[in-house]
Amino acid sequence: MGLSLNELLARTSLFIHGSTVVDNTILTREGSRTALVATRGFEDTIRVTRGAYGRWGGLNEDSIKHPVKTERAKPLVDNEYIVGVRERTDYKGAVLEALDEAQAEKALRFLVSKNIEAVAVCFLWSFCNPENERKLKGILARIAPSVYCTLSSEVAPVPGEYERTSTTIIYAYTGRIARDYLNSLETLLVQAGYDGSLMVMQGYGGLLPSHEAAERSIGMLESGPAAGVIGSRALGELLSQPDVIATDMGGTTFKVSVIQSGSIEYAREPMVDRFHYTQPKIEVVSIGAGGGSIVWLEEGTLAPRIGPRSAGSRPGPVCYGFGGTEPTLTDVFMLIGYMDPGIFLGGSMVLDKEGARRVYAEKIAAPLGLSVEEAAFGVYRVAAAQVTDLIHEITVERGLDPRDFVLHSFGGSCGMLAAMFGAELNVKQIVVPYTASVNCAFGLVSADIVHEYSTTRLISLPAPAEEINQIYEPLLARAKAQLEKEGFTGDATCFDWSVDLRYARQVHEVNTPVHAATPLDDVGLAQLVSDFEASYERKYGKGSAYREAGIEMTQFRLTARGLMERPKLEPMPLGGTDPRRARTGKRPIFVSAYGGMRSADIYDFGKLAPGNVVPGPAVVHTPITTIVIQAHQVGRVDEYQNVIIQRE
């Protein structure tokens, strides 16, 4: 743009940020030195987890195959920093035993003497009455005001002793780091000439002002993948595609999420690493198979495996020429002709094809007794099978038919594989967005300000609708005041209700959106119950709903949105179908239908015009990704410069 950084920021009205700082803090175990204060007698909750499930929760399939060898994840709090104090509140919120303040102060002084940086406080039933937790926080503020403190009644006011404790610990462990990070970013932006708002992406798909996000560190978990799903939904709305399978393959992982009727799925049991938490998060399922994932042979069987180990960015794939010595999936793409060594990233980087061939021959092809090409074909098919299986898990195994969906392919590597696994799934069509490898950034500018509110009450149905409405009144008042403070009123606001319901005596609930007009009347409440049972049967199988057991409401949620202005995308006029102007030559590539290398046309995306139709087999090179079109498929450039791949 011909501008300096300061000039650019001075002319910028909005800065939106997604970050892996919280994910990395947990994965690298570099958070604050954290302590846990629990109700006396319940100090072991975080170590017990949820029974045997804690031994294998969060592990990959290979690890779960050997349950005897599994162990619970090491907690983020060391055993010596877990203390119990005398206090007790019952499930109705009655204080049965007031906090023993003398004992609490003694325990806190002990922790402070151990140079504790953060304290997580989680008392039984504190979400029904936070009095004892607040008293303890007051004592800590008096004796050690610099120690970061989180209360379960504030950050996780929901039932579920283990999950609530785990959530509170994650907040304490990462909170100070997230706050310092965002405060530093805000300072840097101001110093560089920016005077607008700083918004931070959350894992549930909304934006928060940085000062609020700084106090809600857990919301930043997986904010990048969440932004990608938001971008995919926005693109689906633009293209009139309400049912989408959103797939993303970057350097280390392959991720997939499902959008049904324009609605995003949320994780049933959100986890980070192997730790549960209670905050809402867009469901994004992943495996360690990306462009930089290392290809290796299983000991004994010599079966090819891809990932989860990654070559990272340095040294990266062998073909990058940065000193990599392990073959990766990117090297496979190079060997089967999908990547051009001379025009990678718009020609800014020359790839080392011979180096990749040499390492691959030595470590993969020779042990298998195959040529380099044959071994590469096999690994490519394995990669396609792995991602197809993952997509089956969150579609077919949940009663969804991939043939009813459009597949969106984004991320730098996905375009080289999507035509293959999309055909296996028989999806309606495959869309490689114009934004491709920066689709998460497109998601950031497609998101709204979103605040989540909830309250816990146990109500058995039938119950009057007015009782439900009264629960929502204080939530709505808080939400409207918050949005008004941020400049959103009237038509610029939206309030979505949802309720967690279950059959009597069950442990797990099904979150069910309220589709009826609000406040509810008896007809709307009846519709909510019907929607719950339909959702229950989708999750657990036809005929599993059983109204005669009795139905209970346990949690009432409100999602408040401040509707942001979005960039308006103008369609371009469609021209002729002939793509010859963009054709740059031919080269052999792997064509699945023929089981080997075949000559294919190569295209420069920059010279393709809306309306052009590219017959497969073909490769389309863009500055940010590569798109492979298999035999018996065609790629059409639409009016927004997306590439739509369909069967001939």
Side-chain angles (χ1 to χ4, degrees):
M1 295 173 68
L3 300 172
S4 69
L5 176 61
N6 287 50
E7 289 170 333
L8 176 64
L9 288 174
R11 291 168 55 175
T12 299
S13 58
L14 182 63
F15 192 104
I16 310 176
H17 186 53
S19 172
T20 59
V21 64
V22 176
D23 307 67
N24 294 344
T25 297
I26 294 170
L27 295 172
T28 60
R29 298 295 191 272
E30 293 180 351
S32 300
R33 189 181 296 106
T34 301
L36 170 66
V37 181
T39 301
R40 187 174 178 180
F42 293 83
E43 296 92 337
D44 289 334
T45 294
I46 199 63
R47 293 196 289 265
V48 173
T49 68
R50 197 193 297 155
Y53 179 70
R55 292 181 63 92
W56 53 267
L59 293 176
N60 60 35
E61 286 188 13
D62 285 340
S63 299
I64 295 172
K65 287 176 185 175
H66 308 285
V68 176
K69 297 179 181 179
T70 61
E71 291 290 346
R72 290 176 175 83
K74 186 177 183 297
L76 298 174
V77 176
D78 290 339
N79 291 349
E80 62 181 306
Y81 302 143
I82 301 177
V83 297
V85 296
R86 293 182 63 85
E87 71 81 37
R88 198 59 181 267
T89 301
D90 73 6
Y91 74 100
K92 294 181 180 178
V95 177
L96 304 180
E97 183 176 9
L99 176 69
D100 185 330
E101 297 189 31
Q103 184 203 16
E105 181 168 343
K106 183 179 178 181
L108 290 172
R109 288 191 181 278
F110 162 75
L111 295 173
V112 171
S113 72
K114 298 294 184 180
N115 297 317
I116 284 296
E117 299 170 306
V119 173
V121 184
C122 189
F123 294 161
L124 290 182
W125 298 104
S126 59
F127 58 92
C128 294
N129 185 343
E131 180 181 339
N132 284 343
E133 284 194 350
R134 289 175 179 171
K135 281 182 180 178
L136 189 135
K137 186 174 184 178
I139 296 169
L140 181 62
R142 174 168 51 82
I143 65 176
S146 63
V147 174
Y148 192 90
C149 184
T150 57
L151 304 182
S152 72
S153 55
E154 294 176 353
V155 301
V158 294
E161 182 188 336
Y162 158 63
E163 288 83 356
R164 193 158 47 89
T165 305
S166 177
T167 303
T168 309
I169 289 172
I170 293 171
Y171 262 106
Y173 189 77
T174 62
R176 181 180 54 81
I177 290 165
R179 182 188 62 193
D180 292 349
Y181 171 83
L182 290 174
N183 289 345
S184 296
L185 174 60
E186 197 155 12
T187 299
L188 286 169
L189 287 170
V190 170
Q191 290 173 347
Y194 178 66
D195 65 356
S197 298
L198 169 59
M199 297 292 176
V200 182
M201 189 67 188
Q202 304 291 291
Y204 55 72
L207 304 174
L208 281 183
S210 62
H211 65 273
E212 220 177 306
E215 301 306 321
R216 300 182 60 82
S217 60
I218 213 167
M220 294 171 67
L221 287 169
E222 293 203 47
S223 59
V229 179
I230 294 296
S232 201
R233 181 176 66 177
L235 181 62
E237 289 173 355
L238 186 70
L239 303 180
S240 299
Q241 297 168 347
D243 300 305
V244 174
I245 299 171
T247 61
D248 177 2
M249 179 182 274
T252 57
T253 56
F254 175 86
K255 302 180 180 71
V256 59
S257 189
V258 173
I259 301 166
Q260 290 187 75
S261 302
S263 297
I264 289 171
E265 291 285 316
Y266 288 83
R268 300 178 190 181
E269 296 184 333
M271 295 186 78
V272 54
D273 196 359
R274 296 182 61 197
F275 305 114
H276 284 87
Y277 60 95
T278 64
Q279 305 295 318
K281 179 184 81 73
I282 289 176
E283 181 169 46
V284 180
V285 183
S286 64
I287 53 174
S293 296
I294 292 171
V295 179
W296 53 286
L297 301 178
E298 189 174 69
E299 189 174 349
T301 66
L302 294 183
R305 295 284 184 263
I306 301 162
R309 286 195 308 126
S310 171
S313 56
R314 295 282 177 157
V318 178
C319 64
Y320 283 7
F322 296 145
T325 58
E326 300 281 355
T328 67
L329 192 55
T330 293
D331 295 308
V332 170
F333 292 150
M334 163 71 69
L335 295 171
I336 63 178
Y338 293 170
M339 297 169 64
D340 186 325
I343 62 171
F344 185 68
L345 292 178
S348 62
M349 180 176 167
V350 178
L351 300 180
D352 181 8
K353 184 174 182 178
E354 289 310 310
R357 187 179 185 85
R358 184 173 59 253
V359 170
Y360 198 80
E362 175 192 339
K363 299 201 171 184
I364 304 297
L368 291 174
L370 299 173
S371 70
V372 168
E373 285 75 16
E374 288 172 329
F377 301 159
V379 169
Y380 180 79
R381 288 193 177 105
V382 168
Q386 280 187 215
V387 301
T388 302
D389 287 347
L390 183 66
I391 294 171
H392 272 148
E393 279 183 31
I394 67 166
T395 54
V396 176
E397 291 181 19
R398 298 184 185 179
L400 304 177
D401 189 340
R403 292 174 296 185
D404 297 333
F405 288 77
V406 171
L407 187 142
H408 286 188
S409 161
F410 50 94
S413 304
C414 203
M416 290 181 275
L417 204 61
M420 178 84 165
F421 66 77
E424 289 285 328
L425 293 163
N426 275 318
V427 293
K428 289 180 177 179
Q429 55 184 209
I430 301 159
V431 179
V432 183
Y434 177 68
T435 48
S437 64
V438 293
N439 201 61
C440 292
F442 176 63
L444 292 179
V445 298
S446 304
D448 293 316
I449 301 292
V450 178
H451 298 279
E452 299 280 350
Y453 303 88
S454 66
T455 190
T456 301
R457 288 269 299 277
L458 180 61
I459 294 179
S460 297
L461 293 174
E466 187 53 36
E467 185 176 358
I468 313 302
N469 295 332
Q470 287 174 1
I471 292 173
Y472 275 98
E473 283 175 5
L475 299 181
L476 283 163
R478 283 174 57 198
K480 288 177 180 177
Q482 179 67 42
L483 288 176
E484 187 172 346
K485 191 168 136 186
E486 293 164 357
F488 297 96
T489 58
D491 291 343
T493 62
C494 178
F495 302 95
D496 298 323
W497 297 19
S498 68
V499 182
D500 290 2
L501 296 102
R502 68 187 182 194
Y503 288 109
R505 300 192 179 186
Q506 289 190 332
V507 175
H508 299 294
E509 298 88 357
V510 175
N511 179 259
T512 308
V514 174
H515 295 300
T518 56
L520 285 169
D521 57 19
D522 289 341
V523 174
L525 184 54
Q527 182 185 338
L528 174 65
V529 172
S530 296
D531 289 345
F532 156 67
E533 296 197 302
S535 180
Y536 192 95
E537 291 203 342
R538 279 199 302 271
K539 290 178 184 290
Y540 300 114
K542 190 169 178 58
S544 59
Y546 186 60
R547 188 174 297 197
E548 291 77 3
I551 297 174
E552 297 173 340
M553 296 176 157
T554 62
Q555 193 159 12
F556 301 84
R557 303 176 188 268
L558 176 69
T559 300
R561 303 177 187 277
L563 305 180
M564 299 281 286
E565 285 189 39
R566 294 191 176 93
K568 188 175 180 182
L569 302 182
E570 296 292 343
M572 301 170 69
L574 294 175
T577 60
D578 191 345
R580 279 182 295 179
R581 191 175 71 89
R583 192 162 54 220
T584 60
K586 287 179 174 287
R587 70 167 180 267
I589 69 167
F590 172 65
V591 180
S592 175
Y594 303 121
M597 303 292 277
R598 289 290 189 277
S599 180
D601 290 324
I602 311 301
Y603 293 88
D604 177 358
F605 178 80
K607 295 179 181 176
L608 285 172
N612 284 178
V613 176
V614 175
V619 177
V620 179
H621 289 291
T622 88
I624 58 173
T625 191
T626 298
I627 304 167
V628 174
I629 302 166
Q630 291 286 346
H632 313 305
Q633 294 177 332
V634 294
R636 175 177 56 83
V637 183
D638 74 2
E639 60 268 43
Y640 298 102
Q641 292 187 279
N642 307 300
V643 176
I644 314 292
I645 301 173
Q646 295 177 279
R647 289 184 293 274
E648 278 182 331

